[in-house]
Amino acid sequence: MPLAWRCQQPAWCSFQLPTMARGLPSTAGLVRFCQKLNRLKTLEEPTRGTSLQRHLTTLDLTLLGVGGTVGVALFVFTGTVAKEMAGPAVLVSFIVAAVASLLAALCYAEFGAHVPYMGSAYLFTYVSVGELWAFLIGWNVLLQCLFVGAAMASACSSYLDVIFGHRIRSFTEAHVGIWRVPLLAQYPDFLAAGIILLVSTFILCGARITSWLNRAFSAITLVVILFIIILGCVLARPHNWSTEEGGFAPFGFSGIMAGAATCFYTFVGFDVIVASSAEAQNPKRAVPMAITISLGLVAGAYILVSTVLTLMVPWHSLDPDLGLADAFYQRGYSWAGFIVAAGSICAMNGILLSYVFYLPRMVCAMATDGLFFQVFAHLHPRTQVPMVGVLVLGVLMAFLALLLDVEALVQFLSIGTLLPYTCLGISIIGLRFQKVPPSSSLDPASPVGTEQASAPEPGQLRPALRSYLGFLGGCRPGAAVAWALGVLVASAITLDCVLVFGDSALHLPLWGYTLLLLLSSVMFLLSLLVLGAHQQQRRQDTFQVPLVPLTPALSVLLNIFLMLHLSSLAWLCFSIWMLIGLAVYFGYGIRHSKENQRERPGLTATRSSLEETVQALQPPSQAPAQEPDRTDQPTSP
């Protein structure tokens, strides 16, 4: 018998509905429409016939994370950020980006250990926030992965062209011609497209071959990185950080933060670990360990490599296209430059392999839920690979690599990474204050729960604080938490906007700048205190983020701050992509959603009165008589 559970409906929806229900009768349709957008996913343990094989070890997951992270950012864009954004302070940019990634990684680790299924941030948003938001996150991750893969292949093609003395480029320009169109490459990169198609072919062979290739690429990459650090320390010249060469931070604090916003997407490999948790042997233990180890290794490598890079040669003399290899060529170590170029090719193929492995599985999860076209949900019966997704998305990724310029590709990556991490931090806070029914454990052998029967329900005010915060004690469980969470997000956005645009775009006077800064800071801290005053769910059988709500709140604050440093072109392209995603959801996903099919048998009853519609949207703790009927509904109309 399948084991299923349904998270509570978001409190912000339920406590507003009575006001809506007192309106005109036509309000019932608006209420049901709001219910559709915010419905939560019912998790069911997959059957043996449809589940993926659990054969990935902690080492496999760690190498997937390292292979999905160490790539073009280290070998190419370290030089770009150093020359154009931060100077030698690029190492500070990597530190800031690593801290932001660590906060997001902790949130990923909790969800990945607690919900060991395909889907990553998409699935986590679906079980905690709502269907529409989950689709938009998945749609956003789809964009991110397509551009990451295309950028990796294009950069790999450039390095191969350098190794062969630019013969590939000369041949293509002579027989095809040169394009002079903005955002497009100077010539069609057939080699990059071919690399993606070759990697897709290996992915079709199954996870075991992918894991073996990824181990080989990751091992070579780590050896080359160690070689760079050792030889770079020998060739280091402290004079390159002196004021005569422009100083340590020639672009100031704004340049460091702009570099951190650009560098952030370089730490996204750990979401590949979580997306592969459905194939892990022991996800509750392996996922948190793999995320922590891989992020630590990658952060240390980025910081050390960026340090030796700017110590080897002056930051203003770097070639942004060749990065590390160019630094060795400038110092006269051509053989070392060749080794670095070969290592960069292995690293970029490793990250390309990870994303081509991950992307079809994420799309498969969306298709299985009915939010995306069903053809993408098909798994090969022997290899358990989503073949249609690998083929279609591989061809689309190859098409992007064929036509677009590398710099145009990377402009759209950071925002596609920061937004899902922001939503993930919000989801962690929301879920921590929701009651989990005893049947919610996805592992039948795990403890039912850690709360005592007499313990306060999550979302209620802590007993020790009721005498001091009595005005909050009268709120329905979850209502005060929902308001505080909304205030926290709004104050974080306001605070970051004041910090980023207060002196420039907004042209605020000193008193206005100070007043807004104080108000937003006070509201942010007050919302944290209100959240901390309420009871949280505690589980000992799985990993949980420490210091909630502080840790995810800092993640949200830092992610928004970094997003505001991105270019207007990135925001424009992101907005267009989101509009296309909304058209797909409202044109297909909202009607074909499996949660819509679950609810369809109960729609007749809910239409009888507005009161029943409101009651159906309340959390299980508010309407205990309704929950058994909801979970026992058939999965098809």
Side-chain angles (χ1 to χ4, degrees), residues 518-529:
L518 288 176
L519 286 177
S520 55
S521 300
V522 168
M523 295 303 295
F524 184 81
L525 294 175
L526 285 178
S527 61
L528 279 178
L529 292 176

Side-chain angles (χ1 to χ4, degrees), residues 222-521:
L222 292 177
V223 170
V224 172
I225 290 175
L226 187 61
F227 168 79
I228 292 170
I229 295 173
I230 295 175
L231 185 57
C233 290
V234 174
L235 300 177
R237 293 175 177 173
H239 176 75
N240 292 327
W241 284 8
S242 66
T243 55
E244 297 178 6
E245 298 290 350
F248 179 74
F251 298 94
F253 178 77
S254 60
I256 294 175
M257 298 311 299
T262 303
C263 294
F264 186 87
Y265 85 90
T266 65
F267 291 92
V268 301
F270 57 80
D271 57 3
V272 179
I273 297 175
V274 180
S276 305
S277 60
E279 299 169 77
Q281 293 177 356
N282 184 10
K284 289 186 177 181
R285 178 179 179 273
V287 170
M289 287 188 63
I291 288 176
T292 303
I293 295 172
S294 62
L295 187 60
L297 289 174
V298 171
Y302 280 159
I303 294 170
L304 290 175
V305 169
S306 61
T307 300
V308 300
L309 173 65
T310 53
L311 285 173
M312 285 171 58
V313 295
W315 60 269
H316 51 77
S317 67
L318 289 170
D319 185 340
D321 294 327
L322 295 179
L324 286 166
D326 176 68
F328 286 102
Y329 281 122
Q330 288 190 39
R331 294 298 302 273
Y333 289 80
S334 300
W335 59 272
F338 179 82
I339 292 176
V340 172
S344 68
I345 292 173
C346 291
M348 286 180 280
N349 275 286
I351 196 170
L352 176 60
L353 189 73
S354 297
Y355 274 93
V356 178
F357 177 85
Y358 159 57
L359 178 58
R361 284 160 170 76
M362 195 274 296
V363 175
C364 175
M366 297 177 66
T368 302
D369 292 333
L371 299 184
F372 207 63
F373 306 108
Q374 287 297 303
V375 66
F376 290 93
H378 174 70
L379 295 177
H380 190 276
R382 184 178 60 84
T383 62
Q384 293 295 294
V385 172
M387 294 189 62
V388 176
V390 173
L391 292 173
V392 174
L393 297 174
V395 171
L396 180 57
M397 189 183 294
F399 183 76
L400 293 175
L402 177 71
L403 298 180
L404 295 183
D405 182 61
V406 177
E407 294 184 5
L409 290 169
V410 300
Q411 289 183 33
F412 317 122
L413 298 181
S414 289
I415 192 170
T417 304
L418 288 162
L419 184 63
Y421 291 173
T422 303
C423 294
L424 192 62
I426 298 171
S427 300
I428 284 288
I429 299 175
L431 279 184
R432 187 60 64 87
F433 294 97
Q434 290 183 2
K435 181 179 180 180
V436 179
S439 61
S440 65
S441 176
L442 297 178
D443 185 0
S446 64
V448 170
T450 60
E451 294 179 331
Q452 302 294 330
S454 59
E457 177 183 342
Q460 288 184 339
L461 194 65
R462 296 180 184 271
L465 299 177
R466 289 176 182 173
S467 58
Y468 303 99
L469 301 174
F471 64 98
L472 293 177
C475 297
R476 181 181 54 78
V481 169
W483 279 108
L485 184 56
V487 172
L488 183 140
V489 176
S491 59
I493 295 174
T494 304
L495 177 60
D496 286 330
C497 287
V498 172
L499 290 174
V500 176
F501 303 118
D503 292 333
S504 56
L506 299 179
H507 301 292
L508 293 175
L510 180 60
W511 66 268
Y513 178 86
T514 305
L515 179 62
L516 280 177
L517 190 64
L518 288 176
L519 286 177
S520 55
S521 300

Side-chain angles (χ1 to χ4, degrees), residues 32-93:
R32 288 193 296 271
F33 183 71
C34 176
Q35 177 185 5
K36 287 179 178 291
L37 299 183
N38 292 282
R39 56 194 170 200
L40 305 179
K41 177 178 174 60
T42 300
L43 287 179
E44 294 183 356
E45 187 164 354
T47 62
R48 286 284 90 191
T50 58
S51 62
L52 298 177
Q53 301 174 4
R54 294 188 177 273
H55 55 78
L56 297 180
T57 64
T58 302
L59 177 62
D60 291 327
L61 293 176
T62 302
L63 292 178
L64 273 175
V66 173
T69 306
V70 179
V72 70
L74 182 66
F75 291 97
V76 178
F77 289 102
T78 302
T80 302
V81 175
K83 184 171 183 177
E84 300 177 359
M85 297 181 185
V90 60
L91 69 93
V92 181
S93 297

